[in-house]
Amino acid sequence: TCPCSLAMSSLLAESAQGTGNSSSGYAAGTSAPAPAPAAASRLPKVHSCSASLLGQVVHFHVTLLEGSAFIWVGGPRLGLDDLQVAVPTRFDPVPSLASVRGDPDGPGGNLAQKLSRKFGMLVFMSFNLPETEPEMMLAVQKESQTMLSALLEETSSSEAAAKQK
């Protein structure tokens, strides 16, 4: 599994407290300004990690937006060769799928529909792993679900805490 899954809680807590590390984009020796009290619940939320799944390096990038999520999955060769959009409807249990780039019948479309159905939200999915075996698809699906669940849970708990104040 992705090593960031295990550390997701602490990373999200760090970002909510404004205690970023050197990858924060600030010069060495300086830190990010402290966020406003409600900053923890603000969207978009971004999370990236890399993992070795079944002997292959896989990069994940999740951007959580208001009512939707953009998920990019790829290997060392970065790109946007595939982009699918899935949206749940009340008329069909299977979310509608639109292909912006790539094959709508490919693994990205299938994964976008599964995530959209599970989370009941609009999902933009860019799947950029060549010739993916079923075992890899399952590993990518599980990791994507774990990351998206953690981000959504953190966002909802932050919003609830902000409302109590």
Side-chain angles (χ1 to χ4, degrees):
T1 63
C2 182
C4 62
S5 294
L6 303 175
M8 177 68 82
S9 305
S10 63
L11 289 175
L12 291 173
E14 266 184 28
S15 68
Q17 295 171 1
T19 58
N21 56 21
S22 62
S23 66
S24 66
Y26 290 86
T30 62
S31 62
S41 64
R42 288 191 191 147
L43 295 176
K45 290 203 179 282
V46 178
H47 179 73
S48 297
C49 79
S50 296
S52 179
L53 300 175
L54 302 174
Q56 182 178 353
V57 175
V58 179
H59 303 290
F60 294 88
H61 177 81
V62 178
T63 303
L64 186 60
L65 305 165
E66 188 72 38
S68 65
F70 175 83
I71 303 165
W72 183 92
V73 177
R77 193 188 124 239
L78 304 176
L80 194 66
D81 298 330
D82 179 70
L83 181 58
Q84 313 296 325
V85 182
V87 61
T89 70
R90 61 181 175 194
F91 307 109
D92 192 354
V94 177
S96 295
L97 181 69
S99 178
V100 179
R101 285 188 70 130
D103 182 12
D105 295 327
N110 187 21
L111 186 53
Q113 284 182 311
K114 287 179 180 179
L115 293 173
S116 180
R117 180 176 47 225
K118 178 167 179 62
F119 294 103
M121 65 189 322
L122 181 69
V123 173
F124 297 88
M125 181 77 202
S126 181
F127 189 86
N128 300 284
L129 291 175
E131 303 174 22
T132 306
E133 298 295 323
E135 296 83 13
M136 177 63 81
M137 280 303 304
L138 184 59
V140 168
Q141 178 182 339
K142 285 182 178 180
E143 191 57 41
S144 298
Q145 286 178 350
T146 300
M147 290 171 55
L148 197 51
S149 292
L151 285 170
L152 289 168
E153 182 179 314
E154 193 274 334
T155 299
S156 64
S157 64
S158 295
E159 288 173 354
K163 286 180 182 179
Q164 289 178 354
K165 291 181 180 182

